[in-house]
Amino acid sequence: MAHRKLSILEDVTISQPAAAPRLTRADGTPLRILVVDDEASLTDLLSMALRYEGWDVKSANGGQDALTTAREWKPDAMVLDVMMPDLDGLQVLSRLRQNNDDTPVLFLTAKDSVEDRVTGLTAGGDDYVTKPFSLEEVVARLRGLIRRSQISISEAGDSRIVVGDLVLDEESYEVSRAGRPIELTATEFELLRFLMRNPRRVLSKAQILDRVWSYDFGGKSSVVEIYISYLRKKIDAGETPMIHTVRGVGYVIKPTS
């Protein structure tokens, strides 16, 4: 697909988005997306692309403005620039999480080192886009975050998935091991659900990216390693490990007995 670069924003690419089912809130009202960046031309461009999806969009021009708007407006997802003059994106996210705000966050960053990506994800971010990026990519990743954060009702009669002493309830979004409750983020939950639906089956990074993140991650499969490590700390802490690495192949979950 051909892309056209904007002269005023060399780090953004516009392309015609592919048709996709429209996402709304559970009650049918438009999703609320908060776009945060101190560059007005960039927030305007992103807002235009997101409104094209039928979403309700507001923008904030800095960290303090973002916190105020998020508290008052309660968005369903947030696009958050890392580098801002008052409060940077990591500080904004830290304050949100301290207030028990679990709004899915997509970071915009010019930094592309593994260390920077790990820092953002460890801080509680759900995904990231590095500059230069396309508007189509931002929309696709936001759609993935929103799908993962929404609680879906299982069509099966029993909403529980059980592997050994590990239990995942698809209706209540509760997870426990040997009766011990385990708190997971939306992305961690979706990753664990995929593993548990395929017990004893080795899943490659490519399969996990396609199922959990729902798009081509451009070869940056380190995000899978990061989230597997998160799950291990929560699922296997103080227990016999259930999540295993098959070197050069992928990951597998299996009961300990």
Side-chain angles (χ1 to χ4, degrees), residues 220-233:
K220 298 174 182 175
S221 59
S222 58
V223 70
V224 177
E225 299 171 13
I226 292 169
Y227 273 90
I228 287 290
S229 70
Y230 292 166
L231 279 184
R232 280 177 167 148
K233 290 176 182 177

Side-chain angles (χ1 to χ4, degrees), residues 50-168:
L50 300 180
R51 289 191 181 103
Y52 184 83
E53 294 291 309
W55 299 338
D56 191 2
V57 183
K58 283 191 176 183
S59 61
N61 60 12
Q64 293 289 359
D65 188 18
L67 290 171
T68 299
T69 305
R71 182 175 61 252
E72 297 176 352
W73 194 49
K74 301 188 183 306
D76 298 297
M78 186 181 302
V79 180
L80 182 60
D81 189 36
V82 172
M83 303 300 293
M84 291 184 292
D86 53 352
L87 290 177
D88 65 32
L90 296 176
Q91 291 173 309
V92 171
L93 182 60
S94 176
R95 296 192 185 188
L96 289 173
R97 297 299 187 247
Q98 287 173 5
N99 291 328
N100 297 317
D101 186 330
D102 59 357
T103 302
V105 170
L106 174 68
F107 276 125
L108 297 180
T109 176
K111 299 178 178 179
D112 195 26
S113 73
V114 172
E115 181 180 353
D116 292 322
R117 298 198 299 268
V118 170
T119 298
L121 294 173
T122 303
D126 298 275
D127 204 349
Y128 61 90
V129 174
T130 55
K131 302 175 183 179
F133 58 82
S134 70
L135 295 177
E136 186 178 23
E137 180 183 17
V138 173
V139 170
R141 296 199 181 195
L142 269 177
R143 291 177 67 88
L145 286 185
I146 291 164
R147 283 195 299 266
R148 297 198 299 274
S149 66
Q150 290 178 332
I151 297 178
S152 59
I153 303 301
S154 171
E155 295 179 357
D158 187 356
S159 63
R160 300 190 313 157
I161 304 174
V162 180
V163 177
D165 59 357
L166 183 63
V167 180
L168 180 149

Side-chain angles (χ1 to χ4, degrees), residues 177-251:
R177 181 168 184 189
R180 171 177 60 89
I182 300 170
E183 295 292 329
L184 299 179
T185 67
T187 302
E188 291 167 349
F189 183 91
E190 190 63 28
L191 173 56
L192 181 62
R193 173 159 57 181
F194 185 42
L195 291 171
M196 292 181 67
R197 280 179 172 174
N198 296 275
R200 301 182 184 277
R201 177 187 173 193
V202 180
L203 301 172
S204 69
K205 290 181 182 179
Q207 288 175 310
I208 294 172
L209 286 171
D210 181 64
R211 173 60 182 83
V212 178
W213 278 265
S214 303
Y215 55 80
D216 181 1
F217 209 69
K220 298 174 182 175
S221 59
S222 58
V223 70
V224 177
E225 299 171 13
I226 292 169
Y227 273 90
I228 287 290
S229 70
Y230 292 166
L231 279 184
R232 280 177 167 148
K233 290 176 182 177
K234 295 181 178 183
I235 301 300
D236 292 340
E239 305 281 354
T240 303
M242 295 184 67
I243 302 173
H244 305 273
T245 300
V246 179
R247 192 171 300 277
V249 182
Y251 303 96

